[in-house]
Amino acid sequence: QVQLVESGGGLVQAGGSLRLSCAASGRTFSTYTMGWFRQAPGKEREFVSAIIWSGSTHYADSVKGRFTISRDNAQTTVYLQMNSLKPEDTAVYYCAAGNFGTVRRDARDYDYWGQGTQVTVSS
């Protein structure tokens, strides 16, 4: 059974930092593209960041320079380090996995999803 489990969300003041984790289990994800998406109330789910099997990373313009995606050597956990957080970063953050070997920014392309973790940034 494939599982993606996010953790690390919470409430933080603007300018603060959080580190999200996504633990993957149930299959080998070493060749999968792992992505982070977010969804704010009343808005569509949007791409935040992705890391492909080679280690190449990609970011939405809105988070570039502030967020960093990484994965551990065992390829079982993906992290999203979020610095200089802004109130507009408030959303539920989802981890996703897709077996396409490249970066994809469309949520519909991803095969597996976690349950989400809430990030709230106060002003």
Side-chain angles (χ1 to χ4, degrees):
Q1 182 181 359
V2 174
Q3 273 195 316
L4 300 177
V5 180
E6 302 99 333
S7 61
L11 172 64
V12 64
Q13 288 188 332
S17 299
L18 283 174
R19 189 194 196 203
L20 304 184
S21 299
C22 171
S25 62
R27 68 174 308 126
T28 301
F29 284 95
S30 58
T31 60
Y32 276 59
T33 294
M34 302 298 294
W36 285 97
F37 289 77
R38 66 187 182 187
Q39 188 166 18
K43 294 188 177 182
E44 292 190 353
R45 192 168 297 189
E46 66 172 359
F47 172 81
V48 175
S49 182
I51 184 167
I52 65 174
W53 63 271
S54 65
S56 176
T57 58
H58 305 265
Y59 299 94
D61 288 342
S62 59
V63 306
K64 201 172 293 183
R66 300 188 297 122
F67 290 11
T68 303
I69 190 171
S70 62
R71 64 199 302 175
D72 67 351
N73 289 337
Q75 309 275 18
T76 59
T77 304
V78 178
Y79 304 97
L80 186 67
Q81 178 66 44
M82 306 186 295
N83 299 328
S84 302
L85 283 161
K86 305 175 181 180
E88 50 263 44
D89 294 318
T90 296
V92 177
Y93 283 70
Y94 296 91
C95 176
N99 191 18
F100 28 75
T102 62
V103 64
R104 300 276 181 93
R105 295 176 181 242
D106 190 334
R108 295 170 294 182
D109 290 333
Y110 286 75
D111 303 308
Y112 304 105
W113 290 87
Q115 81 289 350
T117 185
Q118 176 70 47
V119 171
T120 303
V121 184
S122 63
S123 57

